[in-house]
Amino acid sequence: MANRAEAYDFSYFEDRNKAEGYGTNDYGAVDYGIDGSHAYQPMELPQAEPEPKIVELPKQEPEGEPEQRHRPKRNLMRMAAAWLCFGLIFSAVMTAVYSEVQLTELTEKINEAKKDLEEAKSLEVQLTMQAAQKMSDAEVERYATEQLGMGKVTGSQVVYLHVAQQDRGTVVQELGEGSWLDRAIAAVRGWFA
């Protein structure tokens, strides 16, 4: 730093000091005099025009094209991602609700089937007992005598057949004479018959 004026910005004070009639020294400070009063009028020094202060800002893209090109793509992608997430969550919730509804319906069907099964078992027991009563020996005899007109077997109903021991079968059709080998085999069979 060459001097204090470069280190501090006294422009605010200069305007006020000029309005009140005070001068500044070489360093840009207010010159009040020795005892703190302004016993003399300070001499105005020629002042050089202050150099404009240049502050470099970060480079910005022009407001027009590039920023607008990137922003819609980014917003579009964010919106698409949000809709995708919403769709996934919505479909998961709907799947869970649908599963619960199906589970409830199937549970009701199972309960109805169990009730029908119990009724069928009860009916089976009743029908089995009725069938057992109808199939007893006494019931079969009663049905045979009353409905079919049957009775117990008597001696007059038995017929015996006597078969004579000498009965033989006769050949109705003669076979044609075959070869000498066939005749020899037939003769041997005849001896053992």
Side-chain angles (χ1 to χ4, degrees):
M1 284 187 228
N3 57 29
R4 282 189 179 178
E6 291 178 4
Y8 300 104
D9 183 20
F10 291 103
S11 62
Y12 172 74
F13 297 108
E14 286 177 5
D15 295 339
R16 186 170 176 203
N17 290 335
K18 283 182 184 177
E20 292 179 5
Y22 299 116
T24 56
N25 61 12
D26 292 341
Y27 300 109
V30 177
D31 191 6
Y32 293 105
I34 298 176
D35 60 352
S37 66
H38 58 284
Y40 63 93
Q41 284 290 346
M43 186 171 106
E44 294 214 14
L45 298 175
Q47 294 182 355
E49 280 195 33
E51 291 183 26
K53 294 182 182 178
I54 298 174
V55 177
E56 290 189 33
L57 297 174
K59 290 186 179 182
Q60 295 180 348
E61 293 184 20
E63 291 182 18
E65 299 169 5
E67 193 172 302
Q68 289 177 355
R69 280 188 220 149
H70 295 298
R71 184 167 293 200
K73 287 181 183 177
R74 192 178 308 151
N75 288 341
L76 183 63
M77 290 185 67
R78 285 182 183 169
M79 187 180 291
W83 277 106
L84 180 66
C85 290
F86 176 74
L88 289 174
I89 291 170
F90 182 75
S91 63
V93 168
M94 291 308 293
T95 302
V97 168
Y98 181 71
S99 297
E100 287 296 321
V101 168
Q102 278 189 331
L103 181 64
T104 304
E105 289 176 358
L106 290 175
T107 303
E108 288 176 6
K109 286 181 181 179
I110 288 171
N111 290 338
E112 288 176 16
K114 283 182 180 179
K115 182 181 174 185
D116 292 343
L117 179 65
E118 292 299 322
E119 289 176 4
K121 284 182 179 181
S122 174
L123 182 62
E124 179 198 14
V125 169
Q126 290 175 1
L127 293 175
T128 304
M129 289 173 59
Q130 288 176 0
Q133 287 176 353
K134 288 186 177 184
M135 295 303 287
S136 68
D137 291 338
E139 188 65 29
V140 171
E141 274 187 46
R142 186 189 63 75
Y143 181 78
T145 55
E146 292 176 6
Q147 299 292 328
L148 301 176
M150 301 174 86
K152 290 198 176 197
V153 178
T154 61
S156 63
Q157 294 174 331
V158 178
V159 176
Y160 293 103
L161 296 176
H162 296 288
V163 180
Q165 307 246 341
Q166 306 269 337
D167 292 340
R168 289 185 178 199
T170 56
V171 177
V172 178
Q173 180 181 5
E174 290 281 334
L175 293 175
E177 291 188 21
S179 68
W180 65 271
L181 183 60
D182 290 335
R183 280 184 266 143
I185 292 173
V188 171
R189 281 187 190 160
W191 292 335
F192 292 108

